[in-house]
């Protein structure tokens, strides 16, 4: 059973590393003794005030005794040059994990104050941002208002959003758009010369700034161009973040860097820094069909959980209602897609109509807003149609609109469909729901602070309180821009007060890369093959039991199956020579997928109601008494499975006073 904890008790948790138990709590044991505490808050709850006070109170004096300290003098510490003590250790003022809109926007600001390392798993452009089609929502029309945008966000979020966070984001959003334009991002304009503002599901006004149906790609282009031209910024591509480097200082956990795996050279590279921003995106690949690129394996959420960060609202997984259904295309793709092709919300915003295969329009039956209902409603409606009619996809038709407008607004979608024999100006598009966006993540306050000192978060990896139980369309890029910018001031303040100890690198044990030489060719091949098989099995379990419609029985089944699957996988690894500190890309991704899947299931089991994206057949109604965020406190490092335990062991303190 869950413990109900007040804001004051969460404050105590942040400072003391434990929670006062007002009642007994439900302890979830997933596998190998993994345990976590899933805790909903009592109402009333103020996200920003409660969390901000708790986080800020830990920063008012010495950052950490002998580990990470603030200068007692008013003289700031100097920015350090990018130092490589060796090819395996690098020192920077700031380390940023992720190269999407959140990470890059933050980088461009903090680089004015110090050196920055950008860690990115693939090519710098390969991020969820690059695949974002629809646009960025912001109040830029005189007929619109911040209050209206706030109301739409709260309604879409099933009133689980934090009102102060929503106000901050909706108020600061327009200025963030203007900054992007000043940096060279090119958005569509109407015939009157003003920005063309689209409308999407859940919005009461036209407020979506876009670049045709490739908005994310255009924003990524503009930001990357600026980043690559900044001499203070170093981009490390093909570096997979393994684990955050942390140390306990009394009651506080302190972060000051990250271990990475250079995928090209198979070397472990350690980054030591004064400030770390986690902007690593989501975890779409815990499901078999997702609009996310292959890099979205929940690495940031899992790393943060292992580093003792608080996680929130992981039950709210957004399934985009309209991903391209390859089975319905005249010419099917020759090979399976690595990720589902998104059909943007804007197609419905521009008048697209949903039909079942009997050409019956069905959305008005489910919601008076029809195709303009929020995504959770549309996804559940499509899911219901598919199950009732035993069909594999529905149809989204925009062909009744003028051909030239369709091609102007949706050139990317038109081109992709045409490759497979479908002309969207004449034929309906086959669509099906796919995993799309994590509304939960690492719990953050109003300036991106977490309960781990020195660690900030922004973008999809963060849970800021904006989205509540369901993200309003086009609010994700907006949130990333706003929180990346808000995290700049506290980050630079901390950087200026902190000095690095250049001997810090050797204070932790180093991960060891798995090789054919150390394990043997045959064993390594077997481990890789099993890992791929287990990954598919985990994804199928999540889709079947933790999908759009859930129940307690199905979630309990998922919990059991995931535990068995993880135990089977870990047992095989460790019986074949694997050790706690051994790393390899596919194995590390697998441990992160397991970690995130368990966080989702645990959160879902704790919520005994249907709200937003979380629909339970045995708790089908919204319960006002349960209008509270779900909180997952850190697991015990001594009883956790490999997926939930950090690889390094701290040997001693590492950072010193100025």
């Amino acid at each position: 059973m869950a413990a109900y904890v007040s804001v004051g008790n969460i404050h105590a948790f942040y400072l003391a590393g434990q929670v006062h138990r007002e009642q007994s709590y439900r302890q979830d044991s997933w596998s190998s003794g993994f345990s976590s505490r899933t805790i909903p808050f009592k109402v009333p709850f103020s996200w920003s005030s409660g969390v901000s006070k708790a986080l800020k109170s830990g920063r008012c004096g010495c950052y950490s005794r002998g580990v990470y300290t603030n200068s007692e003098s008013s003289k700031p510490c100097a920015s350090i040059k990018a130092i490589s003590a060796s090819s395996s250790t690098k020192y920077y003022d700031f380390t940023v994990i992720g190269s999407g809109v959140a990470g890059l926007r933050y980088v461009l600001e903090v680089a004015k104050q110090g050196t920055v390392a950008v860690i990115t798993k693939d090519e710098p452009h390969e991020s969820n941002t690059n695949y974002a089609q629809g646009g960025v929502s912001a109040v830029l029309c005189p007929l619109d208002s911040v209050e209206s945008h706030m109301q739409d966000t709260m309604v879409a979020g099933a009133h689980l959003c934090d009102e102060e966070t929503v106000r901050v984001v909706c108020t600061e959003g327009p200025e963030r758009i203007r900054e992007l334009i000043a940096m060279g991002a090119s958005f569509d304009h109407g015939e009157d010369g003003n920005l063309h503002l689209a409308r999407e599901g859940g919005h009461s006004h036209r407020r979506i700034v876009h670049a045709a149906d490739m908005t994310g790609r255009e924003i990524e282009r503009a930001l990357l161009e600026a980043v690559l031209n900044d001499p203070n910024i170093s981009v490390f591509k093909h570096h997979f973040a393994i684990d955050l480097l942390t140390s306990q200082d009394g009651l506080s956990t302190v972060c000051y860097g990250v271990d990475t795996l250079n995928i090209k050279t198979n070397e472990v590279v350690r980054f030591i820094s004064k400030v770390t921003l986690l902007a690593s995106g989501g975890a779409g690949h815990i499901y078999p069909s997702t609009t996310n690129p292959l890099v979205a394996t929940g690495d940031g959420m899992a790393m943060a959980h292992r580093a003792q960060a608080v996680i929130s609202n992981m039950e709210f997984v957004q399934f985009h209602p309209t991903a391209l259904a390859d089975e319905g295309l005249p010419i099917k793709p020759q090979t399976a897609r690595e990720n589902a092709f998104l059909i943007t919300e804007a197609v419905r915003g521009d008048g697209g109509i949903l039909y079942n295969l009997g050409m019956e329009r069905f959305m008005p039956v489910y919601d008076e807003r029809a195709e303009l209902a929020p995504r959770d409603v549309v996804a559940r409606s499509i899911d219901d149609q598919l199950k009732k009619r035993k069909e594999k996809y529905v149809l989204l038709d925009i062909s009744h609109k003028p051909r030239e407008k369709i091609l102007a607004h949706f050139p990317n979608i038109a081109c992709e469909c045409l490759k497979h024999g479908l002309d969207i100006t004449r034929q309906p598009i086959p669509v099906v729901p796919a995993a799309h966006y994590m509304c939960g993540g690492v719990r953050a306050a109003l300036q991106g602070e977490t309960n781990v000192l020195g660690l900030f978060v922004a973008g999809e990896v963060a849970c800021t309180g904006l989205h509540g139980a369901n993200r309003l369309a086009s609010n994700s890029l907006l949130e990333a821009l706003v929180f990346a910018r808000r995290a700049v001031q506290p980050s630079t303040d901390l950087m200026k007060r902190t000095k690095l100890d250049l001997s810090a690198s050797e204070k932790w044990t180093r991960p060891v890369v798995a090789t054919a030489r150390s394990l043997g060719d045959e064993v390594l091949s077997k481990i890789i093959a099993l890992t791929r098989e287990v990954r598919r099995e985990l994804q199928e379990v999540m889709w079947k039991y933790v999908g759009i419609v859930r129940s307690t029985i199905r979630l309990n089944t998922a919990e059991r199956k995931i535990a068995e699957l993880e135990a089977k996988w870990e047992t095989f690894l460790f019986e074949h020579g694997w050790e706690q500190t051994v790393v390899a890309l596919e194995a590390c991704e697998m441990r992160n997928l397991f970690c995130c899947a368990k966080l989702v299931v645990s959160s879902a089991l704790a919520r005994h109601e249907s709200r937003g994206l979380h629909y339970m057949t045995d708790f089908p109604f919204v319960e006002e008494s349960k209008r509270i965020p779900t909180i997952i406190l850190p697991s015990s490092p001594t009883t956790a499975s490999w997926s939930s335990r950090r690889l390094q062991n701290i040997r001693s303190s590492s950072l010193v006073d100025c």
Side-chain angles (χ1 to χ4, degrees), residues 399-416:
S399 64
H400 51 280
K401 293 292 183 178
R403 176 182 176 85
E404 62 276 9
K405 287 191 176 181
I406 295 173
L407 296 178
H409 290 178
F410 311 113
N412 189 39
I413 294 171
C415 180
E416 181 64 26

Side-chain angles (χ1 to χ4, degrees), residues 159-455:
H159 300 284
L160 193 64
C161 314
D162 176 67
E163 187 172 352
E164 187 175 1
T165 302
V166 174
R167 182 174 297 281
V168 162
V169 173
C170 294
T171 301
E172 297 180 7
E175 183 59 28
R176 302 290 81 85
I177 299 297
R178 287 188 279 270
E179 288 173 351
L180 282 180
I181 295 171
M183 294 170 64
S186 179
F187 299 114
D188 290 355
H189 288 70
E191 295 178 358
D192 59 1
N194 294 320
L195 284 170
H196 181 270
L197 302 177
R199 184 182 176 191
E200 297 181 355
H203 288 274
S204 56
H205 290 80
R206 288 185 168 272
R207 62 169 71 101
I208 314 300
V209 179
H210 61 97
D213 57 352
M214 296 171 282
T215 308
R217 189 178 304 177
E218 172 58 18
I219 294 173
E220 185 82 6
R221 179 205 63 77
L223 293 175
L224 260 181
E225 188 174 299
V227 164
L228 296 175
N229 287 327
D230 192 317
N232 252 9
I233 302 170
S234 301
V235 178
F236 295 86
K237 61 183 181 179
H238 302 292
H239 279 61
F240 171 79
I242 300 168
D243 264 324
L244 297 168
L245 296 168
T246 63
S247 141
Q248 288 300 125
D249 175 49
L251 303 176
S252 299
T253 301
V254 185
C255 173
Y256 43 102
V258 63
D259 272 342
T260 70
L261 173 63
N262 184 328
I263 299 166
K264 295 296 186 182
T265 65
N266 245 7
E267 296 174 302
V268 171
V269 183
R270 178 163 286 174
F271 290 83
I272 305 292
S273 57
K274 300 176 181 179
V275 179
T276 302
L277 175 81
L278 194 55
S280 54
H285 280 274
I286 59 175
Y287 292 94
S289 179
T290 175
T291 61
N292 295 183
L294 275 176
V295 294
T297 51
D299 307 322
M301 295 168 184
M303 282 193 301
H305 180 61
R306 291 193 290 266
Q308 305 297 296
V310 175
I311 308 294
S312 188
N313 285 2
M314 288 292 283
E315 69 269 37
F316 299 117
V317 181
Q318 187 174 75
F319 292 86
H320 199 290
T322 56
L324 188 62
D326 289 344
E327 287 184 296
L329 292 170
I331 304 172
K332 295 176 177 59
Q334 293 182 349
T335 57
R337 297 180 192 270
E338 292 178 342
N339 53 287
F341 184 81
L342 179 66
I343 306 298
T344 175
E345 188 99 6
V347 173
R348 286 182 284 120
D350 260 18
I353 298 174
L354 285 164
Y355 298 96
N356 58 35
L357 297 190
M359 292 309 295
E360 300 166 333
R361 186 183 183 188
F362 58 85
M363 275 310 303
V365 175
Y366 294 96
D367 194 284
E368 62 182 10
R369 293 164 291 186
E371 282 78 12
L372 290 178
R375 290 177 180 178
D376 61 320
V377 176
V378 180
R380 279 197 300 276
S381 302
I382 293 174
D383 182 70
D384 188 57
Q385 283 286 304
L386 297 180
K387 288 174 178 174
K388 283 180 178 177
R389 297 176 59 84
K390 294 181 171 56
E391 294 170 346
K392 294 186 176 180
Y393 57 88
V394 297
L395 300 170
L396 176 60
D397 190 19
I398 192 70
S399 64
H400 51 280
K401 293 292 183 178
R403 176 182 176 85
E404 62 276 9
K405 287 191 176 181
I406 295 173
L407 296 178
H409 290 178
F410 311 113
N412 189 39
I413 294 171
C415 180
E416 181 64 26
C417 288
L418 203 56
K419 289 180 187 175
H420 303 287
L422 185 77
D423 182 354
I424 69 170
T425 68
R426 297 174 180 271
Q427 300 163 279
I429 308 166
V431 295
V432 68
H436 183 58
Y437 188 88
M438 304 294 294
C439 289
V442 184
R443 194 170 176 82
L446 278 175
Q447 291 182 302
E449 313 101 312
T450 71
N451 65 296
V452 177
L453 306 182
L455 179 66

Side-chain angles (χ1 to χ4, degrees), residues 100 125-132 216 281-284 291-293 295-296 436-437 460 477:
H125 66 268
E126 190 66 5
S127 65
N128 279 355
T129 296
N130 201 46
Y131 291 81
T291 61
N292 295 183
V295 294
H436 183 58
Y437 188 88
E460 189 174 349
L477 292 177

Side-chain angles (χ1 to χ4, degrees), residues 465-481:
L466 175 68
H467 305 308
N470 180 31
R471 176 175 67 91
L472 180 64
S474 289
N475 265 3
S476 56
L477 292 177
L478 177 71
E479 178 197 40
L481 287 166

